[in-house]
Amino acid sequence: MKILKYLIFFLVINFGALTIGGWLMNNGPLTAWYQNLNQAPWTPPSWVFGVAWTTIMICFSIYMAYLAKTVLDKKLVVLFTIQFILNVVWNYFFFNQHLTILGLVCLIILTFVIGKFLLDYKSVLKIKSLLILPYFIWLIVAISLNAYIVLKN
């Protein structure tokens, strides 16, 4: 039963991060600024982003619930907090302030943080570590999309 409490906690926190990020982007994907950027040819349709982030946050919440149940220490809290902040502020940097280079740096650091989760805790979670892979893979895609915008605009 304890795992359910952790799962609910992380679902609320992670979807809260998406909500805050959405507020901070200030309709960014719908703005003329974003629509007029030279975007990567592999940029997915807008609906894919919602599906991807929903899937990512469900998987990441399950991952974090199992991890917190097993290993709840200062390192885990710090990594999760850094991940939360970077995930949220990217929206503000990129869409709200149009700081595309800072957004790219934010994504690169976030990818390293998620990679650290994967590497540092794979011996603890074993096969459940696969739950963090959608996040890691999506961040690589996001870096490519952000980098294309930095280089081509």
Side-chain angles (χ1 to χ4, degrees):
M1 189 62 173
K2 194 173 186 181
I3 194 73
L4 186 59
K5 290 179 185 178
Y6 281 116
L7 179 58
I8 292 168
F9 173 79
F10 284 109
L11 285 168
V12 169
I13 296 297
N14 288 328
F15 280 95
L18 291 182
T19 302
I20 294 167
W23 290 333
L24 291 175
M25 77 168 61
N26 197 24
N27 293 323
L30 304 175
T31 62
W33 171 79
Y34 182 73
Q35 296 294 322
N36 291 321
L37 289 173
N38 290 322
Q39 296 181 33
W42 58 91
T43 301
S46 58
W47 65 266
V48 171
F49 291 89
V51 171
W53 278 110
T54 299
T55 303
I56 288 163
M57 285 304 143
I58 290 169
C59 290
F60 188 54
S61 295
I62 296 167
Y63 173 89
M64 285 303 302
Y66 280 111
L67 192 55
K69 182 179 179 248
T70 309
V71 181
L72 188 54
D73 60 7
K74 184 178 179 178
K75 176 183 166 185
L76 181 62
V77 172
V78 168
L79 275 176
F80 183 80
T81 302
I82 293 168
Q83 173 275 148
F84 181 93
I85 292 167
L86 291 171
N87 193 328
V88 168
V89 299
W90 177 85
N91 295 283
Y92 181 74
F93 292 151
F94 186 89
F95 283 116
N96 192 306
Q97 297 299 302
H98 308 162
L99 300 171
T100 57
I101 294 172
L102 190 53
L104 181 58
V105 170
C106 185
L107 285 176
I108 291 168
I109 295 169
L110 180 55
T111 304
F112 277 105
V113 170
I114 296 303
K116 185 149 181 64
F117 271 107
L118 182 59
L119 294 175
D120 288 1
Y121 297 109
K122 71 180 178 188
S123 64
V124 174
L125 291 185
K126 298 182 180 17
I127 193 74
K128 292 179 187 105
S129 293
L130 293 174
L131 288 164
I132 203 168
L133 281 181
Y135 199 168
F136 187 76
I137 292 166
W138 185 256
L139 287 172
I140 292 168
V141 172
I143 286 170
S144 75
L145 297 173
N146 197 145
Y148 189 95
I149 287 171
V150 166
L151 294 172
K152 299 293 184 178
N153 291 278

